[in-house]
Amino acid sequence: MMDSLRDIAGLFLNLDILDRYGYRILQGLGLTLQLVAVSVLFGFVLGMLIAHARLSKSWLLSGLAYCYTTFFRGTPLLCQLFLVYYGIGLFLPAWRATLEDIGLWAYFRDAYIWVVITFTLNTAAYQAEALRGAMQAVPRGQTEAAKALGLHQFRILQTIIWPQALLIALRPLGNELIIMIKASSIASLATLYDLMGQTRFIFARTFDLSVYLYAAILYLLMVETIRRLWGLMETRLMRHTLR
Amino acid sequence: MDYYLKLVSFNDGGWGWLLLKGAAITISLAVATLPFGLALGLVVALGQRSKSRVLRVPAIAFTTVFRGLPELLTLYLVYFGLQLGLQRLGRDLGFSGGIDIPPFVAGMMALGLVIAAFSSEVWVGALNAISAGQGEAARSLGLSPGQTFRFILLPQIIRVALPGIGNNWMVLLKDTSLVSVITLPELMFVTSRANVVTKEAFFFFGLASLIYLFFSLVSMAGLGRLEARSNRGYGLR
């Protein structure tokens, strides 16, 4: 009985793995962080544009933005990734000559760029909703007062609306960042060797479950670090509201 | 056009039936997981609010871990962990031969854990929203703790928790697509197969997106109705 217990514990703890594959795990971690950072940043810019489109008076713009957010929030990220990755793959051979001419073929051939594009499009939809809610939460009187003072439209956004809205959106945006760290593991299903990809690779070689445990610890570390960092940022940025 | 219609036809060579079955499996997985996840989530929530450390600490740890892990990782851990664990246990006890965990069960367990962790936060919020006077009044009427929970607290909690639970459901619905990686023939799995065979990636993944979108929109409408219904005693809001 003791033997079998130790056997089962041995499934999860094997330090040899770290010796042999530690470098791969770290490389995977790096790629995960990079994927998330790039797509969340681009996603923020795109999300900001979509949020403004959604709030615009033009029914065409706001309708398009509504369709965009509904589609990307209503379908699984995995499905979006395959749609882009395999879908583009159909056209890529035809574009090859052109892309080689401008020297971009190496980038477009790789899964990396398509994963980043899909993640960006996806997180932009979620961030747009958070930003839209935040901008709607800024009282109308603020805009009216600014107009009365003769500020113009962009100035009003830049100095009155955005600073207040971003504070309100801080928490949902932090949550979105955490969700993206977790969701980025899907990149491994499009042949990328992010943390999850390396983990799958090592498991396929060793059939040793402890590698999943190490990956789990790293993911938890990332998520907890961001949660704490966000908490600190929030108390610092919101200190004017504390009485 | 004819070509595409033939691709999704229900007779020879068409993917219609397989896709329909896949969609049915997607829905049944989500529907089967929800009650399990919500019930476990409620237990964890009660643990988190408990006065005893022995109950509180594991409950908080559970939520932190399963909210922080990627769903894909949880799925692999449950699937391979159970498989290898049971195999070793079986070998030590003298059984020979492999043990296979059905992907549906592994998917249900993994997603159930994830939904339990997410919903426990919702339950905690809802439990906090019910004023302490409700429980005290129930006790003074002579109701047992079990009766108090069932007849006084639960009906009120469900109303407050409904929007959060609705979000959990939407997440669950989309997360079922991940179970395709452990070869459950749900919608995403069938679609990937169709893509490999026909090389019509845009068509098939686009179609799958629309099916998921349809499920999401129907769920949103249904949840809106449920919320309206649960608030009917509270006037217009």
Side-chain angles (χ1 to χ4, degrees), chain A residues 74-75, chain B residues 19-20 23 187 191 206-216:
Chain A
T75 56
Chain B
L19 286 171
L20 204 65
L187 184 54
T191 309
L207 184 66
S209 303
L210 290 182
I211 296 174
Y212 279 114
L213 191 62
F214 171 73
F215 288 155
S216 293

Side-chain angles (χ1 to χ4, degrees), chain B residues 1-189:
Chain B
M1 192 62 211
D2 269 1
Y3 170 65
Y4 288 113
L5 276 180
K6 232 178 118 188
L7 278 182
V8 290
S9 74
F10 287 86
N11 44 38
D12 54 335
W15 287 85
W17 268 121
L18 283 171
L19 286 171
L20 204 65
K21 264 197 231 161
I25 294 179
T26 290
I27 290 294
S28 20
L29 179 60
V31 169
T33 307
L34 191 71
F36 163 54
L38 290 185
L40 185 59
L42 185 55
V43 172
V44 173
L46 292 172
Q48 276 190 40
R49 284 166 44 92
S50 146
K51 287 186 196 82
S52 135
R53 264 181 82 99
V54 187
L55 292 176
R56 209 170 55 228
V57 172
I60 291 174
F62 175 90
T63 308
T64 313
V65 167
F66 287 106
R67 253 180 9 153
L69 286 187
E71 286 82 343
L72 197 55
L73 185 60
T74 310
L75 188 63
Y76 280 130
L77 263 178
V78 167
Y79 185 58
F80 293 130
L82 273 182
Q83 201 124 311
L84 288 179
L86 283 180
Q87 251 166 37
R88 287 223 184 160
L89 194 67
R91 204 187 55 203
D92 288 344
L93 293 175
F95 296 114
S96 60
I99 297 169
D100 280 327
I101 309 285
F104 192 92
V105 175
M108 213 179 117
M109 290 181 69
L111 293 179
L113 292 174
V114 173
I115 291 305
F118 278 119
S119 68
S120 76
E121 298 286 285
V122 176
W123 290 126
V124 166
L127 283 163
N128 287 339
I130 309 298
S131 72
Q134 298 278 344
E136 286 159 12
R139 201 171 337 141
S140 72
L141 285 173
L143 271 68
S144 73
Q147 285 173 324
T148 308
F149 186 76
R150 243 182 83 199
F151 298 118
I152 311 292
L153 296 180
L154 197 60
Q156 302 189 64
I157 292 166
I158 287 180
R159 186 184 73 87
V160 181
L162 202 55
I165 301 295
N167 279 338
N168 293 155
W169 164 256
M170 305 292 285
V171 170
L172 173 62
L173 197 58
K174 289 181 279 174
D175 277 350
T176 56
S177 65
L178 297 175
V179 184
S180 62
V181 302
I182 55 169
T183 69
L184 179 71
E186 45 68 84
L187 184 54
M188 203 60 214
F189 185 85

Side-chain angles (χ1 to χ4, degrees), chain A:
Chain A
M1 189 62 202
M2 265 331 273
D3 269 358
S4 103
L5 272 183
R6 196 179 310 146
D7 240 14
I8 287 172
L11 279 178
F12 289 103
L13 293 165
N14 180 357
L15 291 170
D16 283 352
I17 294 281
L18 283 189
D19 265 355
R20 261 189 298 162
Y21 294 105
Y23 184 65
R24 271 186 168 271
I25 294 177
L26 281 185
Q27 266 186 330
L29 182 68
L31 183 59
T32 290
L33 288 174
Q34 187 192 351
L35 274 176
V36 172
V38 173
S39 36
V40 166
L41 279 179
F42 283 132
F44 176 76
V45 177
L46 185 59
M48 203 68 175
L49 291 174
I50 294 165
H52 280 287
R54 185 90 171 75
L55 291 173
S56 92
K57 286 194 197 79
S58 141
W59 62 265
L60 182 65
L61 271 183
S62 87
L64 282 176
Y66 174 77
C67 290
Y68 181 93
T69 50
T70 308
F71 178 81
F72 279 98
R73 284 161 15 111
T75 56
L77 177 59
L78 182 61
C79 195
Q80 295 159 18
L81 180 61
F82 283 175
L83 182 64
V84 171
Y85 180 61
Y86 291 115
I88 295 289
L90 296 179
F91 296 97
L92 222 48
W95 298 341
R96 179 166 182 172
T98 332
L99 286 169
E100 271 176 343
D101 279 348
I102 49 176
L104 289 177
W105 171 245
Y107 297 104
F108 283 88
R109 194 187 42 192
D110 203 38
Y112 179 81
I113 188 162
W114 304 114
V115 170
V116 167
I117 287 175
T118 314
F119 283 5
T120 303
L121 293 175
N122 180 273
T123 184
Y126 286 94
Q127 291 191 48
E129 282 298 288
L131 291 166
R132 174 181 71 101
M135 285 195 277
Q136 277 175 329
V138 177
R140 276 184 70 87
Q142 300 270 345
T143 316
E144 284 159 9
K147 269 190 193 146
L149 288 171
L151 293 179
H152 61 94
Q153 192 130 37
F154 186 71
R155 253 298 137 95
I156 296 178
L157 283 178
Q158 190 196 358
T159 54
I160 315 277
I161 307 295
W162 285 346
Q164 298 184 71
L166 284 179
L167 272 188
I168 301 172
L170 193 62
R171 186 172 278 259
L173 288 181
N175 286 342
E176 176 55 22
L177 182 57
I178 288 174
I179 289 175
M180 276 315 285
I181 287 185
K182 301 193 320 167
S184 72
S185 62
I186 286 174
S188 66
L189 301 178
T191 71
L192 283 194
Y193 286 101
D194 69 327
L195 181 51
M196 191 70 209
Q198 296 285 15
T199 307
R200 273 163 39 115
F201 173 86
I202 298 166
F203 181 73
R205 284 209 166 170
T206 59
F207 275 98
D208 191 328
L209 264 181
S210 47
V211 65
Y212 277 110
L213 203 72
Y214 298 137
I217 292 170
L218 287 176
Y219 275 111
L220 283 181
L221 265 177
M222 282 192 275
V223 167
E224 278 303 295
T225 310
I226 288 180
R227 222 166 54 89
R228 306 252 152 127
L229 223 65
W230 233 256
L232 284 178
M233 208 154 87
E234 207 171 37
T235 34
R236 166 112 189 116
L237 290 173
M238 303 289 250
R239 64 193 183 283
H240 61 281
T241 59
L242 296 172
R243 297 269 145 105

